[in-house]
């Protein structure tokens, strides 16, 4: 088991970005809006990975004129779907030990919800959720409030006692770290000091971070800089980069694919390895990238 086995499961590498764009956008895709769960609600209740969550968001901030961006103020549809998949029993990354209990995962542009962190943190050693300063207050609130809940729907919670709740809170919240990181305007030079002397990142996660062309270059640069930390550390196992996105504009997707291809070898995760909600006909796609020349 290992990375090479995972790549074999993924199938053919993307070698022609224009062909990848055509294959994806020639599908009959559902008619969708921008991709928000509910941009008008102050709170959203949902169940992810068998766990009831209450997510606070800010429609007011979303509709504000903040020039640095406001899209992280609300929950996007792809995030709970990705969280459900990556934390699911038998997920291909865990099955091939690319992700393990000892792993360190970093998410770029996590937004206010913290949903992927909440779903995945219990299965890894450390989870770092990053985004711009303006989302951090609600992000921390969502993580703190939802980590006191058990990983079962409400119907299964009735007979659980407070001791069990405290144990889950302690185990879940201590390995989630929230960090301000604006990858659009800042480099990640300070990240090694935040990771610690011996830590490098096993996986970079990004859910719906690419929705206009201006974001593509800084996004790819941030992904590559984080992945290069492992090379500099001398470790042979490369960092994997997981990018989940909604299929909106073929032009923006193609621009991202071309930029990503220059730095990363990458594969589309096939439908048979995904949950139903992330398969191509739903209008979402997940790609896995590895820095070129880093595969042993």
């Amino acid at each position: 088991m290992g990375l090479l086995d995972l790549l074999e499961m993924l199938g053919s590498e993307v070698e022609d970005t224009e062909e990848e764009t055509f294959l994806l956008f020639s599908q009959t895709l559902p008619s969708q809006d921008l991709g928000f769960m509910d941009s008008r609600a102050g709170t959203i209740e949902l169940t992810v990975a068998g766990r009831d969550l209450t997510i606070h968001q800010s429609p007011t901030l979303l509709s504000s004129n903040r020039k640095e961006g406001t899209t992280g103020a609300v929950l996007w549809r792809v995030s709970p779907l990705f969280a459900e998949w990556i934390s699911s029993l038998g997920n291909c990354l865990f099955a091939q030990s690319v992700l393990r209990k000892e792993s360190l995962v970093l998410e770029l542009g996590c937004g206010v919800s913290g949903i992927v962190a909440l779903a995945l943190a219990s299965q890894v050693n450390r989870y770092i959720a990053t985004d711009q300063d303006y989302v951090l207050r609600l992000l921390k609130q969502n993580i703190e409030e939802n980590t006191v809940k058990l990983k079962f729907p409400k119907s299964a919670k009735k007979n659980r006692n407070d001791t069990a709740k405290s144990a889950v809170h302690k185990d879940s919240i201590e390995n989630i770290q929230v960090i301000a990181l604006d990858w659009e305007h800042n480099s990640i030079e300070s990240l090694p000091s935040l990771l610690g002397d011996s830590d490098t990142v096993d996986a970079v996660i990004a859910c719906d971070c690419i929705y206009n062309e201006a974001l593509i270059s800084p996004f790819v640069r941030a992904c590559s800089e984080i992945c290069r930390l492992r090379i500099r550390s001398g470790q042979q196992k490369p960092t994997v980069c997981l990018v989940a996105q909604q299929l909106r504009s073929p032009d923006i997707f193609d621009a991202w694919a071309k930029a990503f291809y220059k730095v990363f070898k990458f594969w589309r995760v096939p439908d048979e390895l995904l949950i139903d909600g992330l398969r191509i006909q739903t209008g979402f796609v997940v790609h896995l990238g590895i820095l070129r020349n880093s595969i042993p």
Side-chain angles (χ1 to χ4, degrees):
M1 294 189 299
L3 178 60
L4 296 180
D5 294 311
L6 173 63
L7 298 183
E8 185 175 346
M9 293 175 66
L10 297 181
S12 300
E13 176 187 345
V14 175
E15 296 183 335
D16 185 330
T17 58
E18 291 183 359
E19 180 182 21
E20 178 73 352
T21 302
F22 174 78
L23 289 172
L24 290 172
F25 284 88
S26 63
Q27 307 285 328
T28 301
L29 300 175
S31 177
Q32 297 187 8
D33 55 22
L34 286 176
F36 306 127
M37 288 284 291
D38 183 345
S39 62
R40 298 180 180 180
T43 60
I44 294 177
E45 294 191 359
L46 70 168
T47 300
V48 176
R51 181 174 182 173
D52 294 320
L53 303 175
T54 300
I55 300 300
H56 302 278
Q57 55 177 17
S58 178
T60 303
L61 182 55
L62 175 69
S63 59
S64 71
N65 294 320
R66 184 180 182 275
K67 65 180 181 178
E68 294 87 357
T70 62
T71 53
V74 295
L75 175 61
W76 294 66
R77 284 197 190 97
V78 73
S79 294
L81 293 169
F82 182 88
E84 186 81 38
W85 170 70
I86 194 69
S87 63
S88 62
L89 184 66
N91 176 278
C92 56
L93 281 89
F94 283 99
Q96 299 302 327
S97 298
V98 173
L99 287 179
R100 301 181 298 168
K101 186 64 178 175
E102 298 78 21
S103 294
L104 190 160
V105 176
L106 183 144
E107 183 178 0
L108 292 171
C110 64
V112 297
S113 73
I115 277 184
V116 183
L118 289 165
L120 190 56
S122 65
Q123 298 185 44
V124 297
N125 182 53
R126 188 176 173 198
Y127 194 103
I128 301 176
T130 76
D131 210 319
Q132 298 180 50
D133 280 318
Y134 79 96
V135 309
L136 298 192
R137 181 185 65 82
L138 279 178
L139 172 60
K140 290 176 180 178
Q141 180 182 349
N142 283 324
I143 290 173
E144 289 171 1
E145 290 185 5
N146 284 290
T147 48
V148 302
K149 297 181 178 181
L150 294 174
K151 303 175 188 177
F152 304 96
K154 294 175 183 177
S155 59
K157 294 181 183 180
K158 294 179 180 178
N159 297 323
R160 305 283 172 172
N161 57 36
D162 291 338
T163 303
K165 291 183 179 180
S166 299
V168 170
H169 176 265
K170 182 175 186 295
D171 291 343
S172 298
I173 198 168
E174 286 186 350
N175 70 332
I176 300 176
Q177 184 177 2
V178 172
I179 294 177
L181 181 62
D182 183 354
W183 48 261
E184 186 179 355
H185 298 104
N186 303 321
S187 74
I188 54 91
E189 290 180 357
S190 62
L191 191 57
S193 62
L194 298 172
L195 294 176
D197 294 336
S198 60
D199 284 334
T200 58
V201 177
D202 293 286
V204 178
I205 288 173
C207 292
D208 241 352
C209 289
I210 311 145
Y211 43 86
N212 68 55
E213 198 159 349
L215 297 172
I216 292 172
S217 179
F219 172 76
V220 173
R221 182 180 64 245
C223 291
S224 64
E225 287 179 353
I226 295 169
C227 291
R228 288 186 201 284
L229 295 174
R230 172 143 294 181
I231 296 176
R232 293 173 194 153
S233 74
Q235 296 186 43
Q236 291 187 343
K237 181 183 176 184
T239 299
V240 299
C241 184
L242 289 162
V243 181
Q245 52 193 311
Q246 181 175 324
L247 295 170
R248 299 183 184 87
S249 162
D251 292 336
I252 296 220
F253 177 86
D254 188 57
W256 166 77
K258 283 182 167 65
F260 201 65
Y261 178 82
K262 289 179 180 178
V263 187
F264 289 86
K265 288 177 171 286
F266 74 105
W267 293 256
R268 187 198 323 151
V269 180
D271 279 356
E272 60 265 25
L273 296 180
L274 294 170
I275 62 170
D276 290 345
L278 280 179
R279 291 174 178 170
I280 291 177
Q281 70 270 17
T282 65
F284 299 104
V285 66
V286 181
H287 287 92
L288 180 147
I290 300 169
L291 279 177
R292 293 190 174 276
N293 302 318
S294 66
I295 300 177

